[in-house]
Amino acid sequence: MALSGMRGLAVFISDVRNCQNKEHERLRVDKELGNIRTRFKNEKGMTPYEKKKYVWKMLYIYMLGYDVDFGHMEAVSLISAPKYPEKQVGYIVTSCLLNENHDFLRLAINTVRNDIIGRNETFQCLALTLVGNIGGREFAESLAPDVQKIIISSSCRPLVRKKAALCLLRLFRKNPDVVNVDGWSDRMAQLLDERDLGVLTSSMSLLVALVSNNYDAYWSCLPKCVKVLERLARNQDIPQEYTYYGIPSPWLQVKTMRALQYFPVVEDPSSRKSLFEVLQRILMGTDVVKNVNKNNASHAVLFEALSLVMHLDAEKEMMSQCVALLGKFIAVREPNIRYLGLENMTRMLMVTDLQEIIKRHQAQIITSLKDPDIRYVDVILQLIDKAGDFVSDDIWFRVVQFVTNNEDLQPYAAIKVKEYLDKPSIHETLIKVGAYLLGEYSHLLVRRPGCSPREIFNLIHEKLPTVSTSAIPILLSTYAKILMHTQPPDPELQKQVWTIFRKYESCIDVEIQQRAVEYFEMSKKGAALMDILAEMPRFPERQSALIKKAEDTESDTAEQSAIKLRTQQQTSNALVVTDQPPPINGTATVNQLRLVKVPNMSNSDHRSTDQQLTHTDGMLTVVDPELPNSSADLLGDLLGPLAIEGPPATPRDGVPIEDALALATVGEQPNSVQPIGNIAERFNALCLKDSGVLYEDPYVQIGIKAEWRAHQGRLVLFLGNKNIAPLVSVQALTLPPSHLKMELSLVPETIPPRAQVQCPLQVINLRPSRDVAVLNFSYKFSAHVVDVKLRLPAVLSKFLQPILLNTDEFFSQWRSLSGPPLKLQEVIRGVKPLSLIDMANLFYSFNVTVCPGLDPNPNNLVASTTFYSEITQAMLSLIRIETDPADRTQLRMTVASGEPALTFELMEFIKEQLITIPSNPRPPPPVVEPPNIPAVSLSDPVAMLAGLM
């Protein structure tokens, strides 16, 4: 909207933007509308400049959401103006204010036609844009032949032909029975030979619409589409302005592949060969990069190529390549990319013989179901903030339900709504959701700056004068919740809240009055309020009202019907690798992952009532072992040698087999292929950082990248083939101790040459322990068979988060934890001679924070950390180190926490970091041929355990 020279328009826009509230804005708009109406009544005395200015004002008022029910004639009349500034205003405002059935449009048809068939290219573009935007039936009947002539005209510039093609596309979509496209097959084929990519892209959009209606008439266009794809894939004659982040016209590639999918087959061998070469180039050349814009473009091309591969019923090798590529996409952290990968993998399930290949990615798909989605929260809060007037209560109810049922999201959601409430002016719906979430979960933010109970109360109470009666009950509930979480009570805060409750005890609204009276009486009960106003329980799992509403209005396409039918017909092959450890003191501990001993399925005597039981999320599920695709069979395949029937597993030195596997000191294995570098040093380095190399030999490299959040961790194993030949018989199995729950995605049996496979590994910490998980990794390369046992850096320090305490906070907790087993003290000798600064840095490296100035003795250190596990949740731990300046090789350490097991494990863990353990380097093994001795049977778990230890 050009404002240069229109001072009156600029002043009006400035006045509207400076209005304090919606009511003031409406008054200013009504005043301006009255002024415009008066001026239009005296149209004879109005100059073209004034008419243009007032029509611009009408458009701006309409864009603000107000009804503009007059002045349409003045806008249409500007279309006939001889000069461009007035004609431009007429076309733009008419296309915005009037719909296709408006009577005034008939008055403009002749003028619009004269501009289309005229020689002024600027006027032609304006007219074509108007016709394309409105697309009415009368326009189609009167102007479609003229638009078609422009498309095939050799005398028109590409800019005009491009707009004409898009205009005809709009007319055809709205009125296909009116637009005559008989005999257009040859003309469309000629258009696909166009060298100008702008015209070619617009023509391809038109072709997609035409072949979707009747592909039989356009067989001559099919080889031309293949040639277009070849040109783009080879980047031949592609101008720089049509190259987007190094990708030649991604929009044209997508449209061309979409057009090809409307043809049932590609019969010509030459065209089919060329097409598959192009698709292979796209599949091989697409990857996930850091640039979001390039990802969007390349992935749009890739996913359209995948659809075309499925449509053409390509060879199984190419289909398998597509599935492997999608497996890479569903393993990345970016939610949008993962969603696209999962969606396309769902479509791949419809292809025959691909189910078994897709099943290899089952673990990662299941992991995606458990992924906390903080972007639901972000998007909905942004929606409420920007368009609160149009957001129904269903939406913010869904936010509350989603956050309540996902514990990991609660601190994040609370801090996000606090950020919104910090704004001076927000929508009332956002105040409601913010007040509710802060009332429930503000206590989770208490250690953050600006998040004390009094500060949270003041933040919410500032919004009370701005809300309607319907929001006041929610705010009163929030005040009561804040009082409940403030223990011991804050007298000043309590006094403020009581004053508010007493104020609303006589409110005329019954809901507000009842809440005020009841909350005032309940808040007098002190600590008992914790039970009365306890945190809201989880909502029962049921379908979202929003999703149901969307499904009710969604048309049931053929593809959706096929997916539903296939879902009903197929049996589930869900894989469950869980088992319960023995009950502790008679109480079974749930949700703990351990190794499963699977019976020999060939021996019917081992079956109990012809069925086996597996454990799924706390419920027993019956699995029939005689089914060929039962989960028990699949489980046996996964666990490999350990699941084969063998002699009964016996404890060793009183330690159960499963724990012995996890506790074993794992080093270099007696393989003919020797590792590069020191495995122990690599493991120790990864215990202090979150990315690096875990193992490397001449043929393979295993890298790790990890993220840790509270009691959960997500590791990605990067399995890289360093050679020009494939690695085969690849197997990876995690052997977790009883305190860790692990889920590793399935690893492909073959890693292609110079390729890297990413395998996500989910970790959940159940309770404090220093036991270490083991990765059993094996592969074959040429004549070499490599089998290594590697410790995984999912150690106790990964579940620690540093926290800085002041004097009052530290000593109040220190005094409350008195004596063993909550507080342990020990004199430690043989300590590494470290200065206090070096010792503090060591503590920081394993997520323990030194709190300076708390101990009056300058030779001592005081530190704190928070430990997270599924059982203890967040548990504060305190450490005090007393050193002897004369002898740095000894010190006295005191560790305290609210959990005896945590106190002991943390003390032992810190001792391991402080004590110098001498190690005798082993001489390198002699290079000799291995003796010809019988191999240990892989069916013997005890023999395998001996090799592991």
Side-chain angles (χ1 to χ4, degrees):
M1 187 181 293
L3 301 182
S4 58
M6 294 189 183
R7 184 175 178 275
L9 177 59
V11 170
F12 170 62
I13 294 175
S14 178
D15 289 347
V16 171
R17 290 179 174 175
N18 291 330
C19 289
Q20 298 296 320
N21 51 48
K22 198 72 173 177
E23 188 60 33
H24 289 169
E25 179 185 286
R26 181 177 291 279
L27 291 175
R28 181 65 182 90
V29 168
D30 288 343
K31 178 182 177 182
E32 193 63 37
L33 286 174
N35 181 44
I36 296 173
R37 193 186 297 269
T38 302
R39 294 307 305 267
F40 280 171
K41 287 181 180 178
N42 303 319
E43 186 179 357
K44 293 182 179 179
M46 196 163 36
T47 64
Y49 162 78
E50 290 179 316
K51 182 183 289 188
K52 178 178 66 173
K53 178 180 66 174
Y54 291 129
V55 170
W56 272 135
K57 287 184 178 180
M58 286 169 47
L59 179 60
Y60 182 70
I61 292 171
Y62 177 79
M63 290 169 61
L64 291 174
Y66 297 96
D67 291 332
V68 179
D69 55 359
F70 69 96
H72 300 158
M73 185 63 191
E74 285 74 12
V76 172
S77 65
L78 285 174
I79 293 177
S80 304
K83 296 182 179 179
Y84 174 77
E86 288 78 19
K87 187 180 286 285
Q88 179 205 29
V89 175
Y91 273 117
I92 293 177
V93 177
T94 299
S95 64
C96 291
L97 293 184
L98 306 185
N99 60 43
E100 60 184 73
N101 299 318
H102 204 286
D103 293 336
F104 282 156
L105 284 180
R106 297 192 183 96
L107 304 176
I109 287 180
N110 288 334
T111 303
V112 173
R113 184 174 186 274
N114 289 334
D115 286 336
I116 287 177
I117 64 178
R119 292 297 179 182
N120 189 317
E121 293 177 347
T122 304
F123 291 177
Q124 279 183 304
C125 290
L126 288 174
L128 290 169
T129 302
L130 172 72
V131 176
N133 284 335
I134 294 180
R137 189 175 187 86
E138 292 191 39
F139 272 0
E141 292 174 345
S142 304
L143 303 177
D146 297 315
V147 175
Q148 288 174 287
K149 290 178 182 178
I150 292 178
I151 298 175
I152 60 177
S153 173
S154 59
S155 61
C156 289
R157 291 179 58 191
L159 174 64
V160 181
R161 296 176 62 205
K162 178 174 66 175
K163 286 187 174 291
L166 294 177
C167 179
L168 185 63
L169 171 62
R170 167 70 169 171
L171 295 178
F172 179 76
R173 283 175 175 171
K174 290 286 291 183
N175 307 281
D177 58 321
V178 173
V179 178
N180 184 13
V181 290
D182 293 338
W184 257 76
S185 176
D186 294 337
R187 298 187 184 277
M188 280 305 309
Q190 294 173 10
L191 286 174
L192 297 181
D193 289 328
E194 180 65 45
R195 304 309 297 174
D196 184 274
L197 286 189
V199 178
L200 185 57
T201 304
S202 302
S203 301
M204 194 63 71
S205 299
L206 179 60
L207 177 64
V208 171
L210 293 174
V211 296
S212 66
N213 188 58
N214 178 22
Y215 66 85
D216 279 329
Y218 298 93
W219 280 103
S220 59
C221 296
L222 192 149
K224 300 292 183 70
C225 290
V226 176
K227 289 183 179 180
V228 170
L229 276 180
E230 283 187 289
R231 175 187 172 189
L232 295 171
R234 295 172 181 172
N235 204 357
Q236 295 176 342
D237 191 23
I238 307 298
Q240 185 62 35
E241 60 267 25
Y242 284 95
T243 302
Y244 186 76
Y245 287 90
I247 305 170
S249 190
W251 308 275
L252 180 55
Q253 293 190 53
V254 169
K255 291 177 187 294
T256 307
M257 288 187 284
R258 181 72 54 83
L260 287 171
Q261 292 176 59
Y262 285 104
F263 295 97
V265 291
V266 180
E267 295 179 346
D268 180 54
S270 176
S271 297
R272 188 175 176 88
K273 179 182 178 182
S274 300
L275 183 55
F276 277 117
E277 288 178 356
V278 171
L279 294 174
Q280 186 71 29
R281 186 186 295 262
I282 293 173
L283 295 178
M284 294 295 293
T286 307
D287 206 346
V288 180
V289 296
K290 291 185 178 180
N291 190 298
V292 177
N293 293 324
K294 183 172 183 179
N295 274 337
N296 290 339
S298 63
H299 295 163
V301 175
L302 171 67
F303 292 132
E304 201 64 47
L306 293 175
S307 299
L308 184 55
V309 168
M310 288 186 283
H311 173 74
L312 296 174
D313 194 18
E315 292 78 5
K316 187 174 182 180
E317 182 178 352
M318 180 175 278
M319 291 288 195
S320 301
Q321 184 180 356
C322 294
V323 174
L325 190 60
L326 290 175
K328 184 190 301 184
F329 277 71
I330 67 174
V332 301
R333 184 161 182 80
E334 172 59 39
N336 292 334
I337 296 176
R338 199 187 320 175
Y339 175 81
L340 291 171
L342 290 168
E343 183 183 32
N344 280 270
M345 193 168 279
T346 301
R347 300 177 63 189
M348 281 283 184
L349 279 170
M350 306 302 299
V351 180
T352 308
D353 298 332
L354 282 186
Q355 287 80 9
E356 291 300 321
I357 300 176
I358 294 176
K359 190 181 292 184
R360 298 175 186 172
H361 304 278
Q362 183 173 259
Q364 178 58 41
I365 295 172
I366 295 174
T367 300
S368 298
L369 293 174
K370 304 176 183 178
D371 191 53
D373 186 7
I374 63 173
R375 294 177 179 268
Y376 185 82
V377 176
D378 284 343
V379 171
I380 295 300
L381 292 180
Q382 290 178 26
L383 175 66
I384 297 173
D385 183 43
K386 298 182 183 299
D389 290 335
F390 306 97
V391 175
S392 66
D393 285 344
D394 288 341
I395 293 180
W396 83 267
F397 292 167
R398 179 59 177 165
V399 175
V400 168
Q401 178 184 351
F402 191 74
V403 173
T404 303
N405 287 8
N406 291 270
E407 185 176 316
D408 293 341
L409 286 179
Q410 292 166 3
Y412 178 83
I415 198 65
K416 287 298 292 185
V417 294
K418 180 187 178 297
E419 292 173 4
Y420 280 103
L421 289 174
D422 280 328
K423 296 182 179 180
S425 177
I426 60 173
H427 195 272
E428 181 175 306
T429 303
L430 199 51
I431 296 176
K432 291 179 181 178
V433 67
Y436 185 97
L437 293 178
L438 286 176
E440 291 293 329
Y441 310 115
S442 61
H443 63 285
L444 302 177
L445 313 177
V446 70
R447 296 192 182 279
R448 296 174 182 254
C451 295
S452 67
R454 191 179 303 177
E455 289 170 315
I456 294 292
F457 167 79
N458 291 332
L459 179 65
I460 298 174
H461 190 50
E462 289 174 358
K463 311 299 181 184
L464 182 63
T466 66
V467 300
S468 64
T469 305
S470 63
I472 294 178
I474 298 176
L475 268 62
L476 295 181
S477 300
T478 301
Y479 300 158
K481 288 274 187 176
I482 292 175
L483 278 186
M484 180 267 289
H485 286 304
T486 310
Q487 299 295 337
D490 181 341
E492 184 176 346
L493 176 61
Q494 191 177 62
K495 182 179 179 182
Q496 286 180 278
V497 175
W498 282 357
T499 302
I500 298 170
F501 288 161
R502 281 194 291 263
K503 172 185 174 182
Y504 285 103
E505 280 180 342
S506 57
C507 180
I508 193 172
D509 186 279
V510 177
E511 173 73 9
I512 298 175
Q513 183 188 93
Q514 182 175 353
R515 292 202 185 203
V517 171
E518 292 179 354
Y519 288 151
F520 179 67
E521 293 301 321
M522 287 190 293
S523 61
K524 296 178 181 178
K525 297 184 179 298
L529 197 63
M530 296 286 290
D531 297 326
I532 300 173
L533 294 178
E535 187 172 311
M536 288 293 291
R538 292 170 62 92
F539 287 86
E541 292 295 335
R542 57 176 181 264
Q543 185 181 22
S544 165
L546 296 177
I547 297 176
K548 186 176 186 302
K549 188 181 295 184
E551 290 178 348
D552 290 342
T553 59
E554 184 181 29
S555 61
D556 189 16
T557 64
E559 182 180 7
Q560 292 165 343
S561 299
I563 292 175
K564 291 178 182 177
L565 180 61
R566 192 175 189 87
T567 303
Q568 294 170 359
Q569 292 176 344
Q570 287 189 336
T571 57
S572 173
N573 288 331
L575 175 63
V576 181
V577 192
T578 61
D579 193 12
Q580 299 301 322
I584 301 175
N585 295 331
T587 303
T589 307
V590 298
N591 295 331
Q592 294 181 349
L593 177 67
R594 304 214 308 175
L595 291 177
V596 179
K597 184 69 168 57
V598 180
N600 187 348
M601 304 309 296
S602 63
N603 188 350
S604 60
D605 294 336
H606 287 278
R607 290 178 291 172
S608 175
T609 65
D610 296 329
Q611 292 177 331
Q612 302 295 331
L613 297 178
T614 60
H615 189 276
T616 312
D617 295 335
M619 295 189 300
L620 287 176
T621 304
V622 178
V623 179
D624 189 347
E626 293 187 353
L627 292 178
N629 291 325
S630 69
S631 61
D633 287 333
L634 187 57
L635 181 62
D637 293 340
L638 264 184
L639 294 181
L642 286 179
I644 299 176
E645 182 69 2
T650 57
R652 177 168 178 169
D653 298 332
V655 181
I657 284 288
E658 295 85 354
D659 293 341
L661 284 170
L663 287 166
T665 302
V666 183
E668 300 166 0
Q669 305 300 314
N671 296 307
S672 59
V673 176
Q674 295 301 315
I676 299 174
N678 188 294
I679 296 179
E681 290 179 359
R682 293 186 187 275
F683 169 76
N684 293 333
L686 285 170
C687 289
L688 301 180
K689 60 182 182 178
D690 290 335
S691 62
V693 177
L694 178 68
Y695 171 82
E696 185 173 9
D697 62 31
Y699 308 119
V700 73
Q701 183 186 73
I702 303 178
I704 281 186
K705 186 174 182 181
E707 293 180 355
W708 305 93
R709 181 179 176 186
H711 66 285
Q712 298 183 0
R714 184 178 187 272
L715 294 80
V716 179
L717 303 180
F718 297 86
L719 311 179
N721 183 355
K722 300 165 59 176
N723 293 273
I724 59 174
L727 302 180
V728 297
S729 300
V730 178
Q731 289 189 356
L733 175 68
T734 56
L735 308 175
S738 59
H739 78 283
L740 292 180
K741 182 159 53 176
M742 289 185 165
E743 289 187 18
L744 176 65
S745 65
L746 296 184
V747 179
E749 293 183 1
T750 302
I751 302 180
R754 300 289 185 182
Q756 186 185 73
V757 176
Q758 299 182 21
C759 303
L761 171 63
Q762 300 292 334
V763 180
I764 297 179
N765 184 32
L766 304 177
R767 60 181 183 273
S769 177
R770 290 170 294 119
D771 298 347
V772 181
V774 173
L775 174 69
N776 186 355
F777 179 77
S778 62
Y779 68 92
K780 292 181 182 178
F781 181 84
S782 184
H784 301 287
V785 178
V786 180
D787 187 349
V788 292
K789 310 295 188 297
L790 305 168
R791 289 177 293 174
L792 290 171
V795 293
L796 184 140
S797 60
K798 300 298 185 181
F799 307 105
L800 299 177
Q801 287 189 9
I803 180 171
L804 187 64
L805 302 179
N806 58 34
T807 305
D808 294 337
E809 293 171 331
F810 183 90
F811 284 105
S812 64
Q813 294 291 331
W814 185 262
R815 285 190 291 267
S816 66
L817 302 170
S818 58
L822 299 182
K823 182 183 289 185
L824 300 177
Q825 188 177 86
E826 183 178 346
V827 175
I828 305 172
R829 295 178 175 84
V831 176
K832 304 173 188 176
L834 300 173
S835 66
L836 288 180
I837 295 178
D838 291 337
M839 189 176 295
N841 291 333
L842 176 63
F843 277 30
Y844 283 121
S845 69
F846 51 81
N847 297 322
V848 176
T849 296
V850 173
C851 304
L854 296 191
D855 197 307
N857 190 332
N859 297 314
N860 297 347
L861 287 182
V862 171
S864 58
T865 188
T866 304
F867 173 77
Y868 289 89
S869 71
E870 192 171 78
I871 295 177
T872 63
Q873 297 299 320
M875 180 67 69
L876 182 64
S877 303
L878 309 176
I879 302 105
R880 186 186 186 200
I881 303 292
E882 301 169 86
T883 67
D884 183 0
D887 186 2
R888 289 289 184 185
T889 63
Q890 64 177 358
L891 55 82
R892 183 166 66 179
M893 178 169 61
T894 310
V895 178
S897 77
E899 172 66 31
L902 174 59
T903 303
F904 174 78
E905 295 290 345
L906 184 58
M907 170 171 272
E908 295 300 312
F909 175 81
I910 297 176
K911 282 168 57 178
E912 292 172 358
Q913 311 304 314
L914 294 175
I915 296 177
T916 303
I917 302 177
S919 59
N920 297 321
R922 290 179 294 178
V927 183
V928 295
E929 290 295 325
N932 187 16
I933 58 175
V936 177
S937 172
L938 293 179
S939 64
D940 188 353
V942 178
M944 290 193 65
L945 177 61
L948 180 62
M949 298 186 65

